[in-house]
């Protein structure tokens, strides 16, 4: 009796996709293609150039563990170890939130405020992977940035991303609770995508997020607004006159936060609520103009 022929790429893609579908994983075929391509060191589209390629036992042994991870619901970005943000390839590990497309609008909002050649010192608070800082520094070549995070492991990832995109020499990284320890009246801009989920929302979000992304990157106390107040308070001390604050929030939080900033001090001006791609109120921008 002759031995069965080895499986080819086509067979493995369809078996992997069926396995992920049975495990109720989103986009099973796409996930299967990404896992197989990554395991074999190929680009996804390369798979289609060689669908009849027979796979060796060594190939299969690289594919199986990654497929099993995807089968548990682990996000693709953690399996690949990377995620694209603002057109830049970023390293991501389980120590950081996977940067979201919505956060790209924070970058757009800042780029709408400053000319590229303007020297600028800004802070990316709660930087995680460093997504916002890296994107801004790439597009603002005269800017310098302080990245802060409470998580030392997240800061390691942020620094790696700064290195990978050639902006490390313009970054100071500091493990800190929000903006503590920063010098008074030093910053032109503060941008932050802090945690903003309420405890109760966390129990309702998708398992892919809740089971794999760091809780510390997502939850902000019982009501989800634990970080906004201290951030606004600290911003009043560390922003220069005329400096901007830009915060990402949940869809039900932005209007309230804008109102809180307005009533906290008349020295906040140009307070705006900005919308995301879905038309939801998701960002609050304000300008610190202290009276002389
Ligand atoms: C929603 S993630 C944002 C990450 C990144 N800025 C982005 O947009 O992808 C929030 C980050 O806040 C950090 N964090 C949580 N509590 C913090 C605190 N008290 N001070 C500074 N960073 C904090 C977490 O470690 C996490 O990296």
């Amino acid at each position: 009796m002759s031995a069965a022929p080895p499986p080819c790429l086509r067979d493995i893609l369809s078996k992997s996709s069926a396995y992920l579908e049975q495990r109720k994983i989103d986009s099973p075929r796409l996930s299967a293609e990404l896992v197989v391509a990554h395991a074999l060191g190929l680009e996804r589209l390369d798979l289609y150039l060689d669908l009849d390629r027979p796979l060796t036992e060594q190939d299969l042994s690289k594919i199986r563990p990654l497929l099993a991870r995807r089968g548990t619901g682990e996000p693709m970005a953690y399996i690949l170890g990377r995620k694209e943000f603002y057109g830049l390839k970023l390293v991501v590990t389980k120590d950081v939130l996977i940067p979201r497309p919505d956060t790209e609008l924070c970058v757009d909002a800042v780029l709408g405020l400053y000319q590229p050649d303007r020297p600028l010192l800004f802070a990316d608070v709660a930087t995680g992977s460093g997504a916002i800082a890296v994107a801004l520094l790439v597009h603002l070549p005269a800017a310098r940035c302080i990245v802060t995070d409470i998580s030392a492991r997240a800061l390691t990832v942020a620094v790696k991303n700064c290195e990978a995109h050639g902006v490390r020499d313009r970054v100071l990284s500091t493990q800190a609770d929000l903006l503590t320890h920063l010098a008074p009246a030093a910053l032109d801009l503060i941008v932050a995508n802090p945690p903003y989920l309420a405890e109760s929302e966390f129990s309702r979000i998708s398992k892919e997020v809740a089971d794999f992304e760091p809780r510390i990157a997502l939850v902000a106390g019982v009501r989800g607004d634990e970080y906004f107040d201290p951030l606004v308070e600290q911003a009043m001390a560390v922003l220069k006159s005329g400096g901007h604050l830009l915060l990402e929030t949940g869809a039900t939080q932005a209007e309230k936060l804008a109102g809180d900033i307005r009533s906290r001090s008349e020295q906040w001006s140009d307070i705006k609520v900005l919308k995301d791609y879905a038309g939801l109120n998701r960002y609050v921008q304000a300008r610190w103009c202290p009276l002389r």
Side-chain angles (χ1 to χ4, degrees):
M1 228 168 59
S2 60
C8 68
L9 256 180
R10 187 194 315 278
D11 303 330
I12 289 304
L13 285 172
S14 74
K15 276 191 185 153
S16 303
S17 170
Y19 166 74
L20 294 176
E21 190 167 2
Q22 183 215 335
R23 307 274 307 171
K24 302 201 181 345
I25 300 302
D26 278 350
S27 314
R29 176 74 192 190
L30 174 63
S31 287
E33 290 176 0
L34 288 168
V35 162
V36 172
H38 183 65
L40 301 179
L42 299 172
E43 293 299 322
R44 182 164 73 92
L45 294 181
D46 294 340
L47 300 173
Y48 284 90
L49 302 176
D50 208 5
L51 283 171
D52 294 320
R53 166 180 162 181
L55 295 184
T56 63
E57 190 46 48
Q58 202 189 1
D59 292 332
L60 295 173
S61 69
K62 290 182 191 154
I63 294 169
R64 280 189 204 107
L66 299 186
L67 193 67
R69 283 170 64 185
R70 186 66 189 123
T72 65
E74 183 172 344
M76 214 51 238
Y78 289 142
I79 295 171
L80 301 178
R82 60 170 196 262
K83 176 76 185 174
E84 193 164 306
F85 179 82
Y86 218 79
L88 303 164
K89 222 175 250 176
L90 297 182
V91 170
V92 292
T93 70
K94 285 182 180 177
D95 298 312
V96 300
L97 186 94
I98 299 165
R100 307 294 203 263
D102 288 353
T103 303
E104 294 178 342
L105 290 178
C106 284
V107 177
D108 281 338
V110 172
L111 295 181
L113 291 172
Y114 299 100
Q115 293 298 318
D117 53 356
R118 162 134 178 227
L120 197 69
L121 179 62
F122 72 95
D124 174 14
V125 182
T127 191
S129 63
I132 299 174
V134 172
L136 285 176
L137 288 165
V138 164
H139 289 274
L140 298 170
R144 290 171 301 124
C145 176
I146 300 172
V147 293
T148 82
D149 205 290
I150 199 92
S151 156
R153 286 169 184 264
L155 281 174
T156 304
V157 175
V159 166
K160 247 187 214 160
N161 281 317
C162 291
E163 280 163 0
H165 291 283
V167 298
R168 176 68 182 102
D169 58 339
R170 290 186 282 135
V171 174
L172 179 75
S173 90
T174 172
Q175 186 179 8
D177 183 358
L178 303 178
L179 285 156
T180 45
H181 313 311
L182 295 201
L187 299 174
D188 298 286
L189 164 75
I190 295 164
V191 59
N193 173 20
Y196 53 71
L197 287 186
E199 302 270 1
S200 57
E201 285 174 294
F202 184 74
S203 59
R204 296 197 301 268
I205 57 175
S206 82
K207 273 177 72 62
E208 279 208 15
V209 176
D211 289 355
F212 293 94
E213 298 201 64
R215 195 175 196 280
I216 194 180
L218 294 161
V219 178
V222 177
R223 293 197 316 266
D225 58 358
E226 196 162 80
Y227 294 103
F228 296 141
D229 229 34
L231 262 171
V232 173
E233 175 84 31
Q234 292 172 11
M236 290 160 65
V238 299
L239 277 175
K240 285 182 190 164
S241 176
H244 287 95
L245 172 66
L246 181 73
L247 300 178
E248 181 171 326
T249 73
T252 57
Q253 297 168 324
E255 287 287 0
K256 172 162 187 318
L257 175 59
D260 289 349
I261 293 176
R262 202 168 286 119
S263 49
R264 177 180 281 269
S265 166
E266 286 178 1
Q267 299 178 79
W268 283 111
S269 70
D270 304 345
I271 301 168
K272 288 184 194 159
V273 170
L274 309 175
K275 292 185 187 298
D276 68 8
Y277 296 114
L280 301 171
N281 293 331
R282 293 288 309 286
Y283 318 89
V284 178
Q285 180 183 311
R287 192 157 196 222
W288 179 237
C289 297
L291 307 170
R292 291 181 189 272

